[in-house]
């Protein structure tokens, strides 16, 4: 498609639509091979074969493609070609591009997931970019994506002018470019009086949150989904338990689970009695034995085993997707009888605490943040900082890796809540934290191991007030 447009105050400009097969495609002996698999195309006429081979080599406009087909198959071959082309579009095997007046590429529609690339018509009247569209740098180009779409638009520097215009309603955009953006789901038609993104459903979503939600809950929008082992050829799997750190460890007593089971309330009583408690008893603080029992009953490694993929897996009291158990617990101690204040890491395979940092400027922000988040009048006796060794999950899982980690955090929260309630302890899960402060205190690379959750833990005061109405818990 070739379209000439004239903006007010400018000279006429010609924009041409072109097509090619997806990058890396090869056509040989009646077989079309792409990253999506192999498609067998038997008994193709000469003109259609010539067109397919040409489309594996580069972009062609409609006139050039038709010329190849007619040269080999005659005018009658065009109908069969259009049927084949529609099939390729429906399978997402074609890429559509727009070139500018200088012949340079302006934009390209590509499949980043599993979906068709059949072009939609350009909207009539004013249009603008979706408020949820995200512009991302990748492989030397800027890529525009809409949440949940299996398609993206790669943009060259020449497209910057049009993107700037499309931040507001405009009719000054070439139709071939509008078709690419509309097909990718990144364009809003209609004008300010008919904006489809003014409803509650669209307005309440932050673009980054919606992109995260759509990417992880729409398998077709991602190139890979689930246990695809995207990094198995680059890194070995991490061990189930992190290596021991420096400094003398603090051994923890092993609780008698049979005795505990005989005296504790039933699961129903624990569930009904569970609540968030934001006050601790300073006269009778949490003890080392209580902290050790809580950790033993919630996050210790009961055993390890090797999975069929060679990854060392673990068994803990709480579940974990694929048995990867990437979560680590760092008790940040302010007041615990029998234990010096400071930041520790719980070694779940050895049931001991390893010192990480003494109290000081690096740990103080973490204590203050937990105190403020829990709306406490004094420092919490212990903050359980929950961290994830991301590589444990990301070595195996693609697209769903981080949301899987967040699910595990929720599992850990509930497990800690129930055990702490059964033990008569005060516990309160927090809704946010600072991974930068965690990295400063631990020295961990935040891209390899970062904080993903926090709970405050302490002794329950003798006269506990009603749960806070603000928290609703």
């Amino acid at each position: 498609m070739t379209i000439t447009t004239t903006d007010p105050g400018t000279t006429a400009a010609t924009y041409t639509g072109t097509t090619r097969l997806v990058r890396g495609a090869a056509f040989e002996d009646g077989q079309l091979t792409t990253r999506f698999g192999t498609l067998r195309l038997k008994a193709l006429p000469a003109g259609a074969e010539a067109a397919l081979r040409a489309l594996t080599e580069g972009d062609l406009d409609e006139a050039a493609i038709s010329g190849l087909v007619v040269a080999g198959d005659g005018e009658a071959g065009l109908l069969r070609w259009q049927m084949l082309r529609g099939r390729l579009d429906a399978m997402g095997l074609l890429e559509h591009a727009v070139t500018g007046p200088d012949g340079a590429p302006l934009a390209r529609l590509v499949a980043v997931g599993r979906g068709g690339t059949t072009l939609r018509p350009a909207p009539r009247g004013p249009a603008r970019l979706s408020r949820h569209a995200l512009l991302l740098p990748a492989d030397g180009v800027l890529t525009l994506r809409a949440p949940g779409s299996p398609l993206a638009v790669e943009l060259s520097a020449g497209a910057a002018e049009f993107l700037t215009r499309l931040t507001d309603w405009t009719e000054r955009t070439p139709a071939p470019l509008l078709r690419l953006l509309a097909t990718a789901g990144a364009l809003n038609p209609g004008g300010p009086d008919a904006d489809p993104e003014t409803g509650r459903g669209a307005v309440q979503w932050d673009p980054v949150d919606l992109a995260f939600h759509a990417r992880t809950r729409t398998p077709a929008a991602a190139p890979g989904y689930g246990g695809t082992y995207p990094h198995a050829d680059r890194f070995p799997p991490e061990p189930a338990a992190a290596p021991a750190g420096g400094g003398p460890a603090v051994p923890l007593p092993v609780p008698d689970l049979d005795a505990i089971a005989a005296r504790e309330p039933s699961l129903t009583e624990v569930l009904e009695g569970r609540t968030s408690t934001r006050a601790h008893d300073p006269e009778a603080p949490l003890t080392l034995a209580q902290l050790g029992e809580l950790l033993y009953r919630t996050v210790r490694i009961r055993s390890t085993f090797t999975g069929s993929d060679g990854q060392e897996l673990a068994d803990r009291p709480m579940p974990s997707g694929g048995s990867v158990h990437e979560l680590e617990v760092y008790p940040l101690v302010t007041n615990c009888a029998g234990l010096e204040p400071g930041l520790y890491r719980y070694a779940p395979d050895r049931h001991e605490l390893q010192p990480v940092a003494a109290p000081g400027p690096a740990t103080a922000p973490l204590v203050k943040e937990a105190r403020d988040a829990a709306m406490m009048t004094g420092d919490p006796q212990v903050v359980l900082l929950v961290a994830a060794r991301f590589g444990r999950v990301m070595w195996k899982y693609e697209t769903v890796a981080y949301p899987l980690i967040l699910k595990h955090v929720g599992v850990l929260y509930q497990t800690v809540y129930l055990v702490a309630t059964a033990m008569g302890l005060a516990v309160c899960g927090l809704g946010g934290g600072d991974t930068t402060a965690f990295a400063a205190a631990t020295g961990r690379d935040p891209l390899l191991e970062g904080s993903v959750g926090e709970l405050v833990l302490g002794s329950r005061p003798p006269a506990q007030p009603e749960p806070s109405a603000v928290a609703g818990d």
Side-chain angles (χ1 to χ4, degrees):
M1 174 186 290
T2 301
I3 292 182
T4 300
T5 63
T6 304
D7 287 338
T10 67
T11 58
T14 300
Y15 298 87
T16 303
T18 61
T19 300
R20 76 176 185 192
L21 282 160
V22 293
R23 276 161 280 190
F27 180 68
E28 193 69 36
D29 297 329
Q31 290 193 151
L32 178 61
T33 303
T34 72
R35 67 179 187 273
F36 301 106
T38 299
L39 178 64
R40 298 184 184 278
L41 300 170
K42 297 180 179 179
L44 283 182
E49 283 203 10
L52 280 179
R53 286 198 172 87
L55 289 174
T56 64
E57 298 173 358
D59 291 281
L60 296 175
D61 62 22
E62 193 62 33
I65 298 172
S66 297
L68 290 171
V69 174
V70 171
D73 307 332
E75 294 285 343
L78 283 175
L79 178 58
R80 182 172 181 178
W81 166 254
Q82 291 301 330
M83 293 175 64
L84 174 59
R85 177 175 172 150
R87 183 182 175 191
L88 297 175
D89 253 333
M91 298 176 67
L93 300 182
L94 295 179
E95 294 181 0
H96 301 285
V98 176
T99 58
D102 57 357
L106 188 68
R108 180 179 299 279
L109 180 74
V110 298
V112 291
R114 298 178 297 282
T117 52
T118 303
L119 289 174
R120 298 179 184 176
R124 296 181 179 275
R128 76 172 182 184
L129 290 175
S130 166
R131 66 183 297 270
H132 295 130
L134 297 178
L135 193 61
L136 305 170
D139 300 326
V141 297
L142 288 175
T143 302
L144 188 71
R145 293 201 60 180
S149 174
L151 308 177
V153 179
E154 295 179 349
L155 301 158
S156 69
E161 173 190 356
F162 299 109
L163 287 185
T164 302
R165 294 182 188 179
L166 285 167
T167 58
D168 202 352
W169 298 104
T170 181
E171 296 185 55
R172 299 171 57 204
T173 308
L177 177 58
L178 289 178
R179 295 190 73 187
L180 301 191
L181 298 174
T183 306
L187 198 65
N188 273 352
D193 296 329
D195 187 350
E197 291 184 335
T198 56
R200 176 182 175 183
V203 171
Q204 70 183 1
W205 278 97
D206 178 87
V208 175
D209 290 340
L210 183 58
F212 175 73
H213 172 69
R215 172 176 167 79
T216 59
R217 301 299 303 177
T218 313
Y225 195 91
T228 63
Y229 301 93
H231 306 298
D233 60 339
R234 301 180 63 190
F235 315 110
E238 295 184 16
V250 179
L252 296 170
V254 176
D256 185 338
L257 296 183
D258 291 334
I260 290 171
R263 69 171 183 262
E264 276 192 346
S266 69
L267 175 61
T268 299
E269 292 175 293
V270 172
L271 283 167
E272 292 301 310
R274 185 218 59 79
T275 186
S276 293
T277 303
R278 297 168 175 80
H280 298 163
D281 184 359
E283 303 301 323
L286 184 76
T287 67
L288 176 63
Q290 289 174 316
L291 176 60
E293 178 182 330
L294 179 84
L295 294 171
Y296 185 87
R297 294 174 63 182
T298 56
V299 292
R300 82 182 188 280
I301 291 180
R302 297 187 292 203
S303 64
T304 60
F305 57 99
T306 302
S308 59
D309 54 12
Q311 188 176 21
E312 185 183 21
L313 305 176
D315 173 61
R316 283 179 168 180
M318 63 180 190
S320 174
S323 297
V324 295
H325 284 291
E326 77 288 353
L327 297 183
E328 302 281 342
V329 176
Y330 288 75
L332 176 56
V333 177
T334 298
N335 185 12
C336 179
L339 184 62
E340 291 294 321
L343 178 62
Y344 299 83
R345 184 184 74 85
Y346 176 62
D349 56 332
R350 297 181 297 279
H351 188 52
E352 63 185 23
L353 295 176
Q354 296 180 332
V356 175
T363 60
L366 293 169
V367 175
K368 181 180 184 303
E369 183 179 72
R371 181 182 67 238
D372 293 345
M375 299 174 289
M376 301 177 68
T377 57
D379 289 344
Q381 292 174 3
V382 174
V383 183
L384 299 180
L385 302 172
V386 183
R389 288 190 291 142
F390 301 116
R392 285 284 296 170
V393 180
M394 294 176 179
W395 183 81
K396 175 179 180 179
Y397 292 102
E398 186 175 1
T399 302
V400 298
Y402 190 67
L404 186 60
I405 290 170
L406 298 183
K407 291 179 174 69
H408 295 163
V409 174
V411 169
L412 183 145
Y413 269 39
Q414 178 72 336
T415 304
V416 170
Y417 258 104
L418 296 181
V419 173
T421 300
M423 292 177 63
L425 301 177
V427 63
C428 180
L430 307 182
D434 187 344
T435 194
T436 301
F438 176 83
T442 62
R444 302 294 193 266
D445 181 341
L447 296 181
L448 297 178
E449 182 179 350
S451 60
V452 290
E454 297 82 16
L455 303 97
V456 295
L457 179 72
S459 57
R460 188 181 292 269
Q464 180 185 328
E466 290 296 317
S468 169
V470 175
D473 194 25

